[in-house]
């Protein structure tokens, strides 16, 4: 049986711990650089009041060019749908009825998508 484990956050110092927990005796490790010059991250702590105002300001300030994409990660499914409504963009979360359609639209039309870590 084959198994694929992916992580963007596992430090090398914890690899042995992962192998022990998962009972992995033989494996192939592929490590890639985490520096991606075409990807930019912006993390903002939002006050409880005015979150949608901040979301709209961030989207306007960023001003995506044709072909560029952006993701607003949200803590809950409800927040995801609220952000999508405010920005007029698709949303993606574990209970989305049309997850594949939302991703296809985002990839073909570019722009923003609101998502949880689903």
């Amino acid at each position: 049986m084959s198994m694929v484990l992916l992580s963007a956050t596992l430090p090398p110092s914890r690899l042995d711990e992962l192998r022990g927990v998962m009972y992995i005796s033989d494996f192939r490790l592929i490590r890639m650089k985490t520096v991606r010059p075409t990807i930019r991250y912006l993390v903002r702590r939002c006050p409880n009041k005015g979150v949608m105002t901040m979301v709209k300001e961030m989207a306007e300030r960023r001003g995506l060019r044709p072909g560029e994409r952006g993701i607003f990660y949200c803590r809950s499914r409800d927040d995801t749908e609220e952000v999508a409504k405010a920005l007029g963009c698709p949303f993606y979360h574990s209970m989305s009825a049309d997850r594949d359609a939302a991703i296809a639209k985002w990839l073909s039309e570019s722009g923003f998508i609101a998502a949880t870590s689903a």
Side-chain angles (χ1 to χ4, degrees):
M1 176 173 91
S2 296
M3 183 185 321
V4 176
L5 303 174
L6 303 172
S7 174
T9 59
L10 181 70
S13 61
R14 306 225 25 217
L15 184 57
D16 287 337
E17 180 182 346
L18 176 66
R19 288 178 62 194
V21 169
M22 297 299 295
Y23 301 104
I24 301 171
S25 58
D26 186 29
F27 72 98
R28 178 176 171 194
L29 176 66
I30 300 172
R31 193 170 291 280
M32 308 268 309
K33 290 183 178 181
T34 57
V35 175
R36 307 266 310 266
T38 58
I39 296 177
R40 287 179 267 184
Y41 302 91
L42 175 63
V43 178
R44 298 282 304 259
R45 187 169 304 274
C46 301
N48 288 337
K49 294 182 180 179
V51 172
M52 287 306 121
T53 300
M54 184 174 282
V55 164
K56 290 177 187 176
E57 287 175 3
M58 288 174 67
E60 289 172 10
R61 194 174 334 130
R62 178 60 187 103
L64 296 177
R65 289 181 240 135
E68 290 186 326
R69 293 178 192 86
I71 303 173
F72 278 89
Y73 281 106
C74 305
R75 290 184 180 196
S76 71
R77 293 186 302 258
D78 290 342
D79 289 348
T80 299
E81 293 180 25
E82 189 177 351
V83 167
K85 184 177 179 181
L87 296 179
C89 69
F91 64 86
Y92 182 98
H93 59 64
S94 64
M95 301 302 286
S96 300
D98 297 322
R99 289 189 295 182
D100 292 339
I103 294 295
K105 178 179 180 175
W106 180 61
L107 291 174
S108 67
E109 297 177 12
S110 54
F112 290 107
I113 190 169
T116 62
S117 59

